[in-house]
C-alpha cells in the first residue's frame, strides 16, 4: 500500500523522516534542486518502511522521473535500501508555477517477510 507523507495536506516542507527512513530536498543557486531519500526497512508507527520515492512537479505535471530507495528482504531479515539522489532544474520563467517536491512511501505490516 502506498502512503503519502505523514505531513498534513497543504504543508510545504523540504524534508520528511520516519525514524531512520527519510526524504529531503535542497535548493542550489535558485534553479537546481537535489533530493535524497532512503528506505531503511525500519518500523515506524507500526508499519515497516520498505520504499521511499520522490519526484518534482510544476503546474501539476511531472518535471522529473521518480527516484526510489527500496529495502529488501532475504531469508527472513530486512536490509535497508541505498541512499538515492535525484536532481531537478527549476524554470527560469518568473511567472512559471512553483516547483514542488513530492514524496511517497510504501509500508507494510512488520510481521510480513
Amino acid at each position: 500500500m502506498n502512503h503519502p507523507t505523514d505531513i498534513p495536506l497543504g504543508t510545504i516542507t523540504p524534508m520528511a523522516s520516519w525514524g531512520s527512513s527519510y526524504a529531503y530536498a535542497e535548493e542550489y543557486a535558485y534553479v537546481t534542486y537535489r533530493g535524497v531519500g532512503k528506505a531503511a526497512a525500519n518500523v515506524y508507527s507500526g508499519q515497516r518502511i520498505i520504499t521511499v520515492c520522490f519526484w518534482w512537479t510544476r503546474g501539476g505535471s511531472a518535471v522529473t522521473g521518480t527516484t526510489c530507495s527500496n529495502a529488501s528482504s532475504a531469508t527472513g531479515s530486512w536490509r535497508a535500501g541505498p541512499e538515492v539522489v535525484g536532481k531537478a532544474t527549476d524554470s527560469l520563467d518568473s511567472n512559471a508555477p512553483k516547483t514542488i517536491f513530492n514524496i511517497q512511501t510504501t509500508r507494510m505490516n512488520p510481521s510480513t517477510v
Side-chain angles (χ1 to χ4, degrees):
M1 170 181 257
N2 290 326
H3 295 267
T5 66
D6 297 343
I7 299 164
L9 187 62
T11 301
I12 297 174
T13 181
M15 180 177 186
S17 64
W18 313 273
S20 52
S21 297
Y22 54 85
Y24 66 89
E26 302 170 313
E27 182 179 11
Y28 295 96
Y30 301 103
V31 295
T32 302
Y33 298 100
R34 177 181 178 264
V36 179
K38 181 173 185 169
N42 60 298
V43 176
Y44 180 83
S45 294
Q47 295 288 301
R48 184 174 307 282
I49 308 293
I50 60 169
T51 304
V52 173
C53 297
F54 60 87
W55 67 97
W56 285 267
T57 56
R58 187 178 309 116
S61 298
V63 295
T64 66
T66 302
T67 301
C68 297
S69 172
N70 297 293
S72 61
S73 173
T75 63
S77 64
W78 280 93
R79 293 185 186 144
E83 183 175 82
V84 294
V85 176
K87 292 188 179 180
T89 302
D90 208 353
S91 173
L92 296 177
D93 179 353
S94 60
N95 294 314
K98 292 181 181 181
T99 301
I100 306 295
F101 182 61
N102 301 273
I103 304 167
Q104 185 176 53
T105 64
T106 303
R107 305 171 188 207
M108 64 182 294
N109 183 320
S111 62
T112 304
V113 178

